[in-house]
Amino acid sequence: MKLYLNTLDQTFAFSSIDLKHVHNPEKSVFIFDFDDEKSLTHILNRLAELLPEQLLDESYVTVTKDTNAMDPAETIAGTMPFNTFYARRLHSWLLKDISSHVQIYFQPIVDFTQNGKIFGYEALCRIENPSGRLLDGEESFKLASQLKCSEELDIACQQSALVGKANSIAPGTPIFINVLPQTIMKKRWLNFMLDTIGKYGIEPREVVIEIIESEKVSPELLAECCDQIRAQGLRIALDDMGSGFNGLRTLAAVRADYIKIDRAIVHEAQGSRVRTVLLEAIISMAQRLGCTVVAEGLERVEDINFCLDMGLAYAQGYYFAKPERKPTRSVTELPKQDEAHRSHVPDEFRIGEFVMRGVTIEVNTSIEEARAIFKKNLDTEVAVVLDNLRPIGLLKRGKVFTQRSNSLGAYCDALPKMITSRTPSSLLARGLYLERGDAEPWVMVGDDGIYIGILQPVEIMAQLISRKMSTGSLHPLSQLTTGPTLRQSLDVSLRNNPNTILVYIDLDHFKAYNDRYGFIRGDAMIRLLSEIVRQEFLGAAGILVGHIGGDDFVLILDHINTYLEDKLLDVIYRFQDLASHLYDASDLERGFFTTEDGGEHPVASISIAIVNGSQGVLSNSVAAAERAAYLKKIGKSNIGSIIVVEDTTPRLVLPVHEVHSDWQARALEALQSLLKYRRSEGSHCMDSCFNDYPFFEVIFELNANGIQRYPNWINPNMYGKIKAGGGGVDRSPQAYYYAAYETLKPYISNIYLSTATEDFCLTVSLPILNQMGGLESILVADISIAAMAMLSSTMAAATEK
């Protein structure tokens, strides 16, 4: 007997397969001899084990007894995809009686508006194989797809779910039942559902048909079927919104009663501006269409609080309860929304950005010491007087040097206004309006009344006005000008200034990087480049920095800048230096990374195009973009970073050498200097160090065994974002501990997304040795991606010198 395998790939070689065979290269057919079922099974197992999955997906097989007398009709009937043929031999048990293998598990859906009360249940499919192993829904339907019995399994699951609803779920509580789109579109399916619902006496409105993403179907055809379902009293839900095939077009066409947002969007959404914007867009569109949003896959307290802050009504996930055979009657209570777990929905105005530490003086300080402090700080007009770290008054320079008294309190003025880091911008604006005039600095305190810093009311007012005017014109990831505002600025500049110069900056191989490392690191790379460009150019006279979108940035210059090319080279050098923390060490060592298609892509390179108008007047932004695209195409034909300058023959500017800043050394030096500060249980004992080293967001200390000695010391600007406490927690599993422990050398992590600060950062750890050279403790600190760029900025100055 013979097994014929048609791979549909004439280039594939079987030399590495230890199976005897005959090859017909013209038709890409491989013939294997076998004697019995055992030998056939051996051949199939070896092929499935050794051949690429994609190759098997596109291969067909057939089995014949005698090649000299092949019946064409029998051969055609017996030919089937390899995976189907193989699956039917291994899993024939599923074809005999599907319903006997189906088990339904129920997971509760909770109602946020009813303090986490159970609203309904989702019925989830499981299959138990003959060995007793339970396959989850994805595995079950993948196997059914290979066996060509997806519809049969789908209907069997729905039947079992309705039985479970009738027997175990109280009337009035809805059940969400998953259905494949291809099943819904079969005319007989709706009659089957209605007959079963009637048979068990279930109220149709308590059945929610949850359309799962499985394959792409026409939203319009799907909408027609859903209208027929809804006309019978059933309700509709769209599953995995924002992922797969269930997109906004489907949402608009189907007009579902519920939409369920995919876990990949909700999980750690508060740490990604991109996912936050996508979530806001889905919620906004759902509200306009009258849909109710359900968040799936919630496991973390932070994600639950974030969904609450976003105004979502329903949710499900392992935090509340895992799926069970018998519907659970109780779920985990909603978390308390305290400061430690409070989520932070991104706002265009963050008051903490404008807090200054200011000069402080303890109330028991002598008059002579107070005068010495003012003499040392010549630019300081007002100091804040503290009593046990709590502000009690203001001390003005004039009074200290003109009045005579033995008590510092006699010199103090009352505090003008005290606010907290959570004061909303609306109250700030109202306070500014009511206290017009030459207002004194405002004092910010924490929830515990401890002093944080001061703010200048005039600066706050300017920022409020600026942010209000620019609402919607800043890119959510980079906070640079984008959208219509950017395009209008570009067109106005081109129309009114013939000397306008445009610089287009984009990342090379960014899509490949996203595919290789995922969109979280992709966001980090965009943030890193935006921070470097921002610090190099933002605020410079005659330059507008904009974010076109994705990995594309633009500079609009109203004049020729002599140092432009040097500054752009600095951008390249700094990016190449800092982006090393976004790649795996093996890729950095090789100098390239690979993607699933086998493509090789160099690490950390940028293409920059300078459009200077030398090749004709630039009429508008579209023409400029076309000119830039031509220049960038020239640049991307070269390997590595490059600047292409517009000219009769475009001029290429290449980085001449690698530049590495000393930012890491300076960060470690700053961490080392913290040893001079008194470290204790007090949460504010290190406040002064953050005034000296503002790039640290949080600092903590571990003992030699990796146990945190004291609570976190938090940068006052990060109060409310970073969780307090931490003392006694075992940090030994963390890389920043065991790397420093094993090598007794400093450790610097890769860039990662902090769920606490909602931004990208890295962690630095420094081992502290005792006199015998043994490990005494380890200091650990987090540095934001913006601070990294700031610490590396001196490299540009050094290059110019």
Side-chain angles (χ1 to χ4, degrees), residues 661-671 748:
S661 72
D662 63 347
W663 77 270
Q664 295 182 6
R666 286 189 285 127
L668 291 170
E669 182 181 352
L671 203 54
I748 299 179

Side-chain angles (χ1 to χ4, degrees), residues 15 173 294 333 430 474 496 644 709 758:
S15 57
T173 303
V294 182
E333 293 182 357
R430 177 175 174 80
L474 298 180
N496 299 330
V644 184
R709 280 184 166 172
E758 309 168 15

Side-chain angles (χ1 to χ4, degrees), residues 344-488:
H344 301 268
V345 179
D347 185 11
E348 72 276 6
F349 182 83
R350 294 183 179 181
I351 189 172
E353 298 175 2
F354 311 104
V355 178
M356 297 179 293
R357 178 64 186 177
V359 174
T360 60
I361 300 175
E362 283 293 330
V363 68
N364 56 4
T365 303
S366 68
I367 300 299
E368 289 72 19
E369 289 176 312
R371 289 171 181 162
I373 291 173
F374 275 103
K375 288 179 180 179
K376 182 180 178 181
N377 299 275
L378 297 177
D379 295 331
T380 299
E381 294 296 327
V382 178
V384 181
V385 180
L386 304 178
D387 182 7
N388 195 23
L389 299 180
R390 287 174 167 77
I392 60 172
L394 293 182
L395 183 62
K396 297 181 179 179
R397 172 185 290 271
K399 284 190 175 183
V400 170
F401 290 101
T402 59
Q403 294 186 9
R404 294 291 182 267
S405 176
N406 293 326
S407 171
L408 188 66
Y411 292 84
C412 289
D413 291 342
L415 292 171
K417 187 177 183 64
M418 284 204 302
I419 59 174
T420 70
S421 59
R422 290 187 292 173
T423 302
S425 57
S426 58
L427 290 183
L428 288 175
R430 177 175 174 80
L432 288 166
Y433 175 78
L434 295 176
E435 299 178 21
R436 289 171 289 183
D438 297 328
E440 300 287 353
W442 290 359
V443 177
M444 177 183 284
V445 296
D447 292 340
D448 53 2
I450 299 297
Y451 174 77
I452 295 177
I454 60 174
L455 303 98
Q456 297 296 337
V458 174
E459 181 179 355
I460 297 238
M461 178 62 85
Q463 289 295 333
L464 283 170
I465 295 172
S466 173
R467 300 293 174 97
K468 187 67 176 178
M469 292 175 62
S470 63
T471 298
S473 65
L474 298 180
H475 193 281
L477 186 57
S478 66
Q479 291 299 296
L480 295 172
T481 304
T482 191
T485 301
L486 178 60
R487 291 193 297 273
Q488 292 168 9

